[in-house]
Amino acid sequence: MTINLTFYGAAREVTGSCYLVESAGLRFLVDCGMFQGGKPAEIKNRHTPRFDPETLDFVLLSHAHIDHSGLIPRLVNLGFRGPVYCTDATADLLQVMWPDSAFILEKEAEWRNYAKHKRRGELKTEAAPLYTVAQAQAALKRLKRVDYGECIQPHERVRACFRDAGHILGAAILEVWLQDGGETRKLVFSGDIGMPGRPLMNDPTPIAEADYLLVESTYGNRLHKTLEATVEEFVDALNDTLVKRRGNVVIPSFAVGRTQEILYLLTRFIREGRIPPHTAIFVDSPMAAEATEITLKHWTELDVEGRELVNWTRHNDNGRPYIRFTESVEDSMAINKISQGAVIISASGMCDAGRVKHHLKFNLPRPECSVIISGFQAQGTLGRRLVDGARSVKIFKEWVPVRASLYTLGGLSAHADRDALLGWLGRFERPPQTAFVIHGEEDTALGFADTMRKQLGWPVEVPVAGAVYDLQGGKARLRQQ
């Protein structure tokens, strides 16, 4: 009996995680994520999936981030009728994230149709969204909730366990045992591995063994700043902007995970007297507001320091920081009337969509202001252009000069760096028969694979998109690509 593993996304790139496992009439996916980063990503999303969704038995989902989950509503709309297994917190987050993603896709399609109509006077073909809000709501009915440490049997030949990945709330490492004839093969999918010692999240769960391992490599070519150094840089950036230069701080932030960590740190800074107690903090993202509520609902899953700070804010009325979650568009627009003293946390985290673009348009030209980049910026995104030092950027079809100061806080990354990844891999008690390096830009993935070969002595593959590997015992063999 043969097991085939096909890499449909996050192969020599960071987004679009999607892996198909097939064996004697059994077919299931691990993740089905959206590609992100400009028009090339849009084209890939339109051509996904490259298989028949109706033939899938089930989906195992590592976590809620859109680059891992965002095409599942499309999968359901195209005929998939099986269950999607994920953790309880992931299921709660998706109640917010999938409809929000669909709403954005619908609005983008409306805008394109309007622009075509305005330019040509008529529409020969109307742009349609990848999926609609109604289709996202329908996909939510496919979710099946699983607890950390719980082992499920989604098929008579498959057993799967979800382990805490320490990445965002609900993120999981997936251990999958697949019966192959008279033998059992164990596949481990790392999902996104968190950085040990980060605020709020627990450290990633060590895994003892695997026959075949898929490991992410987002930051496999670099080391993050220590959390201590990052905290000092964050505090300095805040005080330099808010107190000395009397400007605003804009923080483009992923609504899930990163926003909650930033709020944790800001609250801690105010509690410790490290930034002005009257600092006005605005969270301008409806999804981030709902994700924060979900985080508080699952607060027992946070680390010890996170639980302690939640208790402090709940029982300390006098010292509680000023944090306002905006809801309406009018509330969002009103923030841009504030000329100084505001910390504005807004999505999207890569600056390519959402309300943050308005805040960047108003604050980037002002030298007294700052932009703090706190997460990974994929190639082709507005955030990546800012990090790469662009002197001006196009926002809403207008060129905006970049005069604000730019800070990058690498130590807040939700992804493990090179040494943390090697540390997690080093806990395996025996080498896998093959390790696949995924979820990293090409040079990074290839470099991390070399590091694994040299330091661990493991057999390592770096698959390209579309590659199919035969896992018929021993080292995986490339069948086609």
Side-chain angles (χ1 to χ4, degrees), residues 296-309:
L296 293 174
K297 172 185 173 183
H298 292 274
W299 73 283
T300 56
E301 295 182 21
L302 305 180
D303 66 8
V304 174
E305 291 182 357
R307 296 196 300 270
E308 195 272 334
L309 195 65

Side-chain angles (χ1 to χ4, degrees), residues 36-40 42 252 348-353 357 360 364 371 373 375-402 404 406 408 441:
Q36 296 170 306
K39 288 185 179 179
E42 292 182 22
S348 71
M350 296 187 193
C351 310
D352 259 5
K357 294 175 73 173
L360 290 171
L364 277 174
V371 176
I373 300 293
F376 181 81
Q377 306 297 308
Q379 288 183 349
T381 62
L382 173 57
R384 183 62 167 261
R385 291 192 288 277
L386 289 172
V387 169
D388 288 344
R391 299 288 184 90
S392 62
V393 291
K394 186 175 275 191
I395 301 177
F396 303 123
K397 297 187 177 182
E398 294 182 19
W399 284 103
V400 177
V402 179
L406 188 79
T408 57
E441 293 177 353

Side-chain angles (χ1 to χ4, degrees), residues 41 126 160 255 278:
E126 185 169 318
H278 55 272

Side-chain angles (χ1 to χ4, degrees), residues 245-456:
R245 290 188 280 134
R246 298 185 180 278
N248 294 327
V249 175
V250 179
I251 307 178
S253 180
F254 302 107
V256 178
R258 185 53 42 80
T259 292
Q260 291 73 44
E261 287 182 336
I262 291 170
L263 288 174
Y264 165 89
L265 289 172
L266 291 171
T267 301
R268 197 180 103 186
F269 298 160
I270 290 172
R271 181 187 183 186
E272 295 172 353
R274 304 192 69 185
I275 62 175
H278 55 272
T279 298
I281 302 167
F282 297 92
V283 181
D284 190 24
S285 165
M287 186 167 66
E290 294 183 78
T292 302
E293 287 296 322
I294 293 168
T295 301
L296 293 174
K297 172 185 173 183
H298 292 274
W299 73 283
T300 56
E301 295 182 21
L302 305 180
D303 66 8
V304 174
E305 291 182 357
R307 296 196 300 270
E308 195 272 334
L309 195 65
V310 169
N311 275 329
W312 178 79
T313 56
R314 284 176 170 173
H315 300 100
N316 186 41
D317 291 337
N318 293 331
R320 187 178 298 161
Y322 177 88
I323 301 175
R324 182 177 178 186
F325 292 87
T326 59
E327 296 182 3
S328 68
V329 174
E330 291 75 19
D331 289 341
S332 176
M333 293 171 64
I335 295 173
N336 286 319
K337 296 179 182 178
I338 301 172
S339 62
Q340 65 181 60
V343 176
I344 306 162
I345 307 167
S346 187
S348 71
M350 296 187 193
C351 310
D352 259 5
R355 296 179 178 182
V356 73
K357 294 175 73 173
H358 294 276
H359 301 304
L360 290 171
K361 181 180 176 181
F362 277 92
N363 290 281
L364 277 174
R366 302 174 58 208
E368 68 272 25
C369 294
S370 294
V371 176
I372 296 179
I373 300 293
S374 62
F376 181 81
Q377 306 297 308
Q379 288 183 349
T381 62
L382 173 57
R384 183 62 167 261
R385 291 192 288 277
L386 289 172
V387 169
D388 288 344
R391 299 288 184 90
S392 62
V393 291
K394 186 175 275 191
I395 301 177
F396 303 123
K397 297 187 177 182
E398 294 182 19
W399 284 103
V400 177
V402 179
R403 301 189 185 102
S405 298
L406 188 79
Y407 296 87
T408 57
L409 301 180
L412 291 185
S413 175
H415 292 268
D417 64 9
R418 183 196 66 204
D419 285 0
L421 286 170
L422 289 171
W424 183 76
L425 294 171
R427 303 289 291 275
F428 279 72
E429 295 175 359
R430 62 176 175 84
Q433 292 174 7
T434 304
F436 298 95
V437 174
I438 54 167
H439 203 285
E441 293 177 353
E442 185 167 25
D443 289 347
T444 302
L446 291 169
F448 187 63
D450 284 341
T451 300
M452 288 175 62
R453 295 184 189 104
K454 292 174 182 175
Q455 296 199 21
L456 301 174

